[in-house]
Amino acid sequence: MLKAFLVGGFIAVVAQAFRDMYIILFHMGEAEAVRWMNGTLMVCAAIFTPIRFYRRLTQFAGAGMIVPMMSLANIWSASALEYRNEGVAEHMLSVGGSVIVTLVVASYVAALFL
């Protein structure tokens, strides 16, 4: 449990550093910097998936690696690697589609109560 807390906290600190870097160095607004930060985390997860670093980190940290954007990029990258000879696009969307639907429904339900 401590490992999950530390790794999840480290990811949050890195994400905050990316956001601040985009605001300070590139003179972006808050919303644009957050979009770029999310994109950067997704690209990192997509790069870490084929070299098996994401899997080792997930096995070490457990629930500390459940960051929605990074997990989605990992799912898409892993399914793309698994089905690269059979047709990547349809398998990526079949696996990631359920995640997207869950996120949309959860966002809608959360918006009802906020």
Side-chain angles (χ1 to χ4, degrees), residues 72 75-76 90-106:
L72 186 61
I75 289 169
W76 283 340
E90 52 275 355
H91 289 288
M92 278 186 357
L93 294 176
S94 68
V95 173
S98 61
V99 175
I100 292 172
V101 169
T102 304
L103 290 173
V104 169
V105 171

Side-chain angles (χ1 to χ4, degrees), residues 3-112:
K3 292 187 280 188
F5 176 75
L6 292 175
V7 172
F10 178 73
I11 291 171
V13 168
V14 169
Q16 184 71 32
F18 277 129
R19 187 190 72 84
D20 293 343
M21 179 190 70
Y22 288 132
I23 289 173
I24 294 169
L25 293 179
F26 300 111
H27 307 291
M28 292 182 182
E30 174 78 24
E32 188 177 9
V34 169
R35 284 193 298 269
W36 276 89
M37 178 265 304
N38 281 333
T40 304
L41 290 178
M42 288 181 74
V43 168
C44 289
I47 290 171
F48 291 160
T49 299
I51 60 174
R52 307 243 190 265
F53 180 70
Y54 195 90
R55 177 177 291 228
R56 284 192 300 247
L57 195 57
T58 303
Q59 288 172 346
F60 174 76
M65 286 299 296
I66 301 178
V67 179
M69 290 296 179
M70 292 179 68
S71 297
L72 186 61
N74 177 48
I75 289 169
W76 283 340
S77 299
S79 63
L81 289 171
E82 186 175 342
Y83 296 106
R84 66 179 166 253
N85 295 331
E86 300 174 17
V88 174
E90 52 275 355
H91 289 288
M92 278 186 357
L93 294 176
S94 68
V95 173
S98 61
V99 175
I100 292 172
V101 169
T102 304
L103 290 173
V104 169
V105 171
S107 299
Y108 178 75
V109 170
L112 290 175

